[in-house]
Amino acid sequence: MSDLSSPRALPVHLLPLAIAAALAPLTAAAQEATTLDRIEVTGSRIRAAHAETRQPILTITRDDIARQGHTSVADILQNLSSAGSPAISRADALASGESVGGYYIDIRNLGATRTLVLLNGRRLGATTSGMQDLGQIPLAVIQRIEVLKDGASSIYGSDAIAAVVNIITDTQFDGAEFTTRVGQFSQGDGRTQEFSLKLGTQGERSGMMLAAEYSKEDPVWAKDRWFSRDGNAGPDYPGSGWSPISNKGSHCNPCAGNGVDPKDVRWWTLKEGGDPGNRNDYRLFTEDDNVNSNEQMMVQTGLERRSLFASAYHDVNDSLRLQGEALYNQRITEQQVAGYPLQYKLPGNSPFNPYGVVTDIRRRLWEMPRTTRSELQTYRLSGGLVGNLEFGGRAFDWDVGALINRNRLTKTARGDASLFARDRSVKPECGTAADPNCKPWNPLLPYGVGGPGSLSDPELQKFLFPTFVDTGETTTTTYSANLSGSLFDLPAGELGFAVGYEHRREQGRFVPDAFSQSGQSTGLEAVTTEGAYSLDEIYTELSIPILKDMPFARELTLSTSGRYSKYSNFGNTLNSKFGLSWRPVDELLVRGTVATGFRAPTISDLYGGTSSSFESYTDPCGIGHTNSVNGNAACTAAGVPLGYEQLGQGSKTCTGYPCQTPDQFFRESNPDLKPERSTSATVGLVWSPRWVEGLDVSLDWYSYTIKDMIIKDSVERILRDCYILGNAGRCASIVRAEDGHISSVHYGVANLGLVKTQGYDLGVRYRLPELAIGEFKLDWQSSYTTKYDEEGVNNAGDKIMIGVVSEPGYFRLRSNIGLDWEKGSWGANYGLRYYSGMREDCVPKRPCTDPDRMAHGEGAAVRKVGSNTFHDLQVRWAAPWDATVSVGAKNLFNHQGPIMFSQPDSAFPYYGGFDIGRSIYMKYQQRF
């Protein structure tokens, strides 16, 4: 197959358009121009009257953003009732990789990579794993956000499976505007500060705007929150999850092996004031010596952002405009997790070994918590010509454009030890004439204890802990051309059309530090991800009016669109969409769509190098599994003893499930992946009764089916297939140690998934008649999920659909109510965010509300927790000097969500999408 990125792959007749676009130094702005009452909205390239109601589109205005006190685009979108769990929660302190630190949106819980994000109608740049960071867009320049809650691959191509988010910026701003905002949690931490300045000028034929924005959010520590300070199970189970790999250090005598029963292994730690060289100065290590790693961890990462945005236009004449934008953004994210839990065999000849034989030791490197600073710089520039022309008495609109979006990432980490330095530091010659540059380390000296080889020595820390640097770069380049207008008149109106072409190239590279690639540090192993692909696409769209101004048919319009995509790496795909809008009476619209969609494999899916992680899972061969198969033929053949309890860190029995492995597991890419396929449908009503002025009600039913989903083959799936279903072929990648615990698993990505989901969206907006006490506006948005089923396998090996509605993040109902009041120069906004109850799998030694629950003929015991409602309030005053002062609180009553032992979307026993405290703020905006 030819490389579509070569000039020869570009059709000759489109070269003039591509060249014109490439020469334009500015970016085409959002398709928001109007011609009388004809507008163009997200999801269609055809301008038409009432187009904004023909598809399920939610519009968030600048006023909506200001009155709800949001601090980022991601906060705005995550607050939508249709939003799923955060893709990478800021509470997921153990997350790693190039996408950590970004803000991503997941509509309908179908995955962040299945919601396409546009900036002024053009794609946002993505990581090699397809993640689109919303954090790079400054709030100051946003005019509105349009969310199309429907599949739109026929208009926009890959990734537009679940929804399309189009962030539209100002185009004609005249004047100056300064905004500052400060806030913090009522606990006194998590301080935020934001500053923005926007300048604009408009002339007779030209205009430009420049905006600068700075924001900073301080981290919040796990030790300062009620749900995370005590361990992995909340305040009712203090000590749960505390690590036996302690900052005090310990060694075993006798150790496992050589006929020693594991139950007879003894671990020793240095007595207070003891001599580390004297065997008699060690005492038995007890559970009281375990360490709470949460004391060193962030429950919310720190974030800092600097952004510059510019846009401009120039009308060459009445029918030709040159317009565009440029963006620079720097995002810095700070993470910290506890010092590394080192397990090591101390050589017998080490001067710090009191026994003179190889001895197993444990030591958490508490003096050097693991920190990661992720700095992402985004450069975005695009340009375009927009015009109109007349031909045959008809008006046509056209545009050509080009875009380049480049993300450059630098991740700087410290806290993992060099294995070279570790091995040298415990040898007899370290620090002698034979190795003078070496710094000796005594791993048996507890934290805070001085003496020869103490890890508190700054010089020893420099020797053991190098600075690791990962780098990455992704580039999106597009050339496009579009033409729209009407072909001819039908009895019910004009037959509208749009056609267009797009060439796009995606290339990316992520290079882990040399230590990570060689596996010569205590950090996760990873190798380089690098690859590229390109594509050419053409699309066409028609809007066909069938009836107009007839009884029970004020309007009946059929719309259809199709997109043909030719990829350099997997071939061709054709996707289509059909829509029908029927207005039986003026105040009622009935709408429906049926669409096919696709998502192409990402660079990471196809060309990613092997990477490692410490996975959390529940071993079916352990008696802690809800449906344990301990003692069956497969478990016994693998060497798992009867009565085996799953082991976690320090080879200690797990105190909670899923339980994190003490060993690295390995994930690999798959160059043979094919695209995901989807089918979506919507049917809805929009009602604006004429006898209730200001009331708009919408109700939409939706359905999605996604086949051949590209998913990471999970450890849980592999273990189930091997030990429960008896599929011996799935056991090959599992390695178990002598004690029965899983020491290694290799797995990859594959087209394994099938998902079916259905539900309803309800929207009610009502502007009440003006009253003596002021003007009120109500906005009520709800999403109700009737079905979310994932394909799985039962104990008999038969394929089944497993419902996950009400599992953490998959809420049956999310509902937001906002009430806004305004009178004169004063105003207030009160909001409620409702989340229905959740359930999680029961685990041993923890409460279980439904222990006898069955599903698909199997035991499926669950623990249920109730619903949660968070309240927000803002009060504002419009000052006479053209300024606005606002004060507010998010989570006004400091509501606390429930403890979740499964730690969903978090590294702690709490749902990662919930508020972690009351956040209070003050905002000042001055206009000039």
Side-chain angles (χ1 to χ4, degrees):
M1 186 173 295
S2 63
D3 181 3
L4 297 183
S5 66
S6 66
R8 286 185 301 238
L10 192 65
V12 174
H13 66 283
L14 290 172
L15 277 173
L17 297 179
I19 293 172
L23 291 175
L26 302 171
T27 295
Q31 292 91 28
E32 55 175 332
T34 61
T35 303
L36 299 178
D37 61 343
R38 296 164 64 86
I39 63 172
E40 182 179 327
V41 299
T42 302
S44 175
R45 303 283 190 181
I46 302 173
R47 298 178 183 177
H50 310 296
E52 72 277 11
T53 61
R54 290 180 177 174
Q55 299 186 78
I57 296 175
L58 176 66
T59 300
I60 305 168
T61 67
R62 185 201 308 276
D63 288 342
D64 294 333
I65 296 170
R67 293 173 181 178
Q68 294 177 31
H70 296 300
T71 60
S72 71
V73 177
D75 289 337
I76 299 166
L77 296 174
Q78 195 59 48
N79 197 47
L80 298 178
S81 61
S82 56
S85 298
I88 301 179
S89 165
R90 293 177 66 189
D92 192 357
L94 297 173
S96 61
E98 63 172 314
S99 298
V100 173
Y103 281 137
Y104 313 102
I105 184 62
D106 173 5
I107 300 296
R108 306 222 189 278
N109 263 314
L110 292 174
T113 57
R114 298 178 186 91
T115 293
L116 179 64
V117 180
L118 307 174
L119 177 58
N120 291 328
R122 299 184 184 276
R123 286 175 176 263
L124 211 58
T127 67
T128 62
S129 57
M131 304 289 278
Q132 306 155 92
D133 182 14
L134 294 162
Q136 60 190 280
I137 304 170
L139 275 182
V141 302
I142 296 177
Q143 183 190 83
R144 69 183 187 275
I145 301 174
E146 294 180 347
V147 183
L148 171 64
K149 295 182 285 185
D150 192 8
S153 285
S154 63
I155 299 297
Y156 299 110
S158 177
D159 307 337
I161 285 182
V164 177
V165 175
N166 192 7
I167 301 162
I168 300 170
T169 63
D170 279 327
T171 56
Q172 295 185 338
F173 178 75
D174 197 357
E177 183 177 276
F178 172 75
T179 304
T180 181
R181 181 188 189 276
V182 294
Q184 66 177 28
F185 287 107
S186 56
Q187 290 92 332
D189 55 14
R191 185 170 184 268
T192 64
Q193 50 185 321
E194 300 168 33
F195 308 94
S196 67
L197 177 64
K198 183 168 65 172
L199 305 170
T201 182
Q202 300 294 315
E204 184 178 349
R205 284 190 171 273
S206 302
M208 66 177 298
M209 181 187 68
L210 177 67
E213 188 168 279
Y214 172 81
S215 66
K216 184 177 182 181
E217 300 179 47
D218 291 343
V220 177
W221 297 93
K223 62 184 179 182
D224 296 326
R225 287 298 181 270
W226 68 276
F227 58 86
S228 53
R229 67 188 176 211
D230 297 301
N232 69 358
D236 293 338
Y237 302 92
S240 177
W242 288 31
S243 175
I245 307 178
S246 170
N247 55 10
K248 294 181 178 180
S250 61
H251 68 275
C252 63
N253 183 29
C255 297
N258 299 322
V260 177
D261 191 305
K263 295 180 181 178
D264 295 328
V265 173
R266 296 291 182 267
W267 289 87
W268 305 81
T269 190
L270 189 67
K271 297 177 181 177
E272 186 175 351
D275 177 4
N278 185 350
R279 298 188 197 181
N280 297 323
D281 279 356
Y282 290 88
R283 62 172 176 81
L284 280 174
F285 187 97
T286 69
E287 286 191 0
D288 291 337
D289 297 310
N290 290 350
V291 68
N292 180 9
S293 59
N294 288 5
E295 292 179 8
Q296 289 193 329
M297 297 179 69
M298 293 178 180
V299 75
Q300 180 172 289
T301 55
L303 181 67
E304 187 174 5
R305 185 171 58 81
R306 300 172 178 89
S307 186
L308 287 172
F309 180 89
S311 66
Y313 71 89
H314 173 67
D315 290 334
V316 180
N317 53 47
D318 292 341
S319 59
L320 180 62
R321 170 175 286 191
L322 177 65
Q323 62 181 18
E325 69 196 20
L327 169 70
Y328 169 77
N329 183 76
Q330 180 193 44
R331 187 204 73 214
I332 300 172
T333 306
E334 301 282 354
Q335 290 175 273
Q336 179 175 305
V337 297
Y340 184 80
L342 179 68
Q343 301 180 77
Y344 180 56
K345 291 187 179 296
L346 188 63
N349 65 349
S350 172
F352 306 115
N353 189 327
Y355 299 102
V357 296
V358 175
T359 303
D360 288 345
I361 64 167
R362 298 172 180 166
R363 175 66 152 85
R364 187 172 284 273
L365 309 182
W366 200 254
E367 290 82 351
M368 284 295 295
R370 288 166 287 173
T371 60
T372 303
R373 175 187 170 96
S374 300
E375 181 179 337
L376 180 73
Q377 295 189 76
T378 298
Y379 306 86
R380 182 181 177 92
L381 178 67
S382 58
L385 294 169
V386 179
N388 58 73
L389 55 88
E390 288 192 8
F391 181 77
R394 296 186 180 277
F396 298 88
D397 299 294
W398 62 270
D399 66 83
V400 294
L403 160 73
I404 182 168
N405 192 107
R406 179 165 293 157
N407 292 331
R408 289 178 175 165
L409 174 70
T410 303
K411 295 176 70 73
T412 306
R414 192 152 186 250
D416 278 302
S418 160
L419 301 188
F420 294 116
R422 179 202 63 184
D423 293 343
R424 287 175 60 194
S425 68
V426 297
K427 290 182 177 180
E429 57 269 25
C430 182
T432 68
D435 192 0
N437 296 321
C438 181
K439 302 297 180 183
W441 173 44
N442 185 350
L444 298 180
L445 272 181
Y447 168 73
V449 176
S454 171
L455 195 55
S456 60
D457 180 3
E459 293 301 315
L460 176 57
Q461 292 177 6
K462 289 180 182 179
F463 178 72
L464 283 179
F465 302 101
T467 297
F468 306 100
V469 179
D470 303 337
T471 60
E473 182 172 308
T474 59
T475 303
T476 299
T477 307
T478 65
Y479 304 99
S480 63
N482 300 283
L483 175 68
S484 65
S486 65
L487 293 176
F488 49 82
D489 291 335
L490 294 173
E494 296 178 334
L495 189 148
F497 83 98
V499 295
Y501 163 82
E502 181 175 310
H503 172 79
R504 177 162 56 94
R505 178 175 172 81
E506 300 280 358
Q507 55 188 8
R509 190 170 190 245
F510 181 67
V511 184
D513 188 273
F515 277 90
S516 299
Q517 298 204 43
S518 62
Q520 292 301 317
S521 79
T522 56
L524 299 175
E525 296 182 31
V527 298
T528 297
T529 293
E530 183 173 15
Y533 64 86
S534 57
L535 61 147
D536 284 293
E537 297 181 292
I538 57 173
Y539 78 89
T540 183
E541 182 183 4
L542 294 175
S543 177
I544 308 169
I546 301 173
L547 298 174
K548 183 179 180 181
D549 296 333
M550 297 182 66
F552 300 105
R554 303 296 296 168
E555 174 197 345
L556 181 63
T557 302
L558 173 68
S559 61
T560 179
S561 57
R563 191 179 190 93
Y564 173 79
S565 307
K566 183 179 180 182
Y567 278 74
S568 63
N569 54 347
F570 68 78
N572 310 326
T573 180
L574 178 63
N575 293 275
S576 58
K577 184 173 184 176
F578 298 91
L580 187 68
S581 60
W582 171 43
R583 195 180 296 274
V585 291
D586 288 335
E587 60 263 30
L588 178 65
L589 175 73
V590 182
R591 63 193 180 191
T593 64
V594 176
T596 60
F598 78 107
R599 184 175 79 90
T602 67
I603 292 171
S604 178
D605 293 332
L606 296 167
Y607 313 116
T610 300
S611 60
S612 64
S613 61
F614 291 94
E615 294 291 317
S616 295
Y617 66 96
T618 305
D619 188 347
C621 290
I623 60 175
H625 194 283
T626 305
N627 299 300
S628 174
V629 291
N630 179 255
N632 77 358
C635 294
T636 302
V640 181
L642 288 175
Y644 167 75
E645 292 188 71
Q646 186 175 339
L647 304 180
Q649 281 194 356
S651 297
K652 290 293 185 179
T653 301
C654 295
T655 58
Y657 296 90
C659 182
Q660 190 178 45
T661 172
D663 304 285
Q664 295 186 40
F665 293 174
F666 297 88
R667 182 169 67 93
E668 300 165 342
S669 59
N670 182 354
D672 298 322
L673 291 171
K674 55 186 178 180
E676 300 176 346
R677 307 286 181 180
S678 72
T679 302
S680 63
T682 66
V683 177
L685 305 172
V686 181
W687 183 46
S688 303
R690 61 178 179 272
W691 58 86
V692 185
E693 185 177 354
L695 175 64
D696 294 295
V697 181
S698 64
L699 176 64
D700 289 281
W701 170 84
Y702 66 85
S703 173
Y704 293 85
T705 299
I706 306 178
K707 300 178 180 179
D708 297 326
M709 285 184 71
I710 301 169
I711 62 172
K712 180 177 70 173
D713 194 5
S714 70
V715 175
E716 298 268 10
R717 183 193 294 263
I718 294 172
L719 297 180
R720 178 182 174 85
D721 290 348
C722 171
Y723 298 112
I724 296 178
L725 303 182
N727 184 347
R730 296 283 276 168
C731 303
S733 66
I734 306 170
V735 178
R736 289 187 181 266
E738 290 184 4
D739 58 10
H741 91 270
I742 300 172
S743 58
S744 178
V745 177
H746 280 259
Y747 55 102
V749 291
N751 294 101
L752 291 173
L754 171 63
V755 162
K756 296 183 178 182
T757 182
Q758 294 180 4
Y760 295 89
D761 288 333
L762 172 66
V764 178
R765 286 181 169 174
Y766 183 33
R767 180 189 293 270
L768 280 72
E770 189 168 354
L771 306 173
I773 59 174
E775 185 177 8
F776 291 88
K777 289 186 292 184
L778 174 71
D779 189 355
W780 177 27
Q781 303 291 327
S782 300
S783 292
Y784 185 86
T785 305
T786 58
K787 179 173 75 172
Y788 194 111
D789 294 347
E790 298 176 341
E791 187 178 66
V793 183
N794 62 15
N795 280 336
D798 300 322
K799 288 186 177 181
I800 57 173
M801 297 302 292
I802 302 171
V804 299
V805 174
S806 295
E807 289 188 2
Y810 297 84
F811 297 100
R812 174 73 71 183
L813 174 63
R814 278 194 62 178
S815 186
N816 299 329
I817 300 177
L819 180 63
D820 192 81
W821 164 80
E822 194 165 59
K823 181 175 176 59
S825 59
W826 288 92
N829 188 280
Y830 191 84
L832 293 88
R833 294 173 282 132
Y834 172 84
Y835 301 79
S836 59
M838 295 179 281
R839 67 168 189 253
E840 63 182 356
D841 291 341
C842 289
V843 295
K845 305 175 185 178
R846 298 288 183 266
C848 186
T849 56
D850 193 355
D852 299 321
R853 179 175 176 267
M854 301 289 291
H856 307 291
E858 305 174 23
V862 294
R863 171 178 174 263
K864 297 178 180 179
V865 297
S867 61
N868 292 269
T869 303
F870 298 88
H871 300 252
D872 306 321
L873 175 65
Q874 183 194 89
V875 178
R876 62 186 183 271
W877 174 57
W881 54 88
D882 203 11
T884 302
V885 182
S886 306
V887 294
K890 297 184 71 64
N891 192 12
L892 177 65
F893 301 115
N894 198 27
H895 176 73
Q896 297 175 346
I899 290 294
M900 301 294 293
F901 300 122
S902 57
Q903 302 181 349
D905 300 297
S906 175
F908 309 97
Y910 194 75
Y911 172 55
F914 280 169
D915 297 38
I916 61 171
R918 180 195 296 113
S919 175
I920 54 178
Y921 64 90
M922 182 177 70
K923 180 180 176 181
Y924 180 84
Q925 185 178 70
Q926 178 68 60
R927 292 166 291 273
F928 303 94

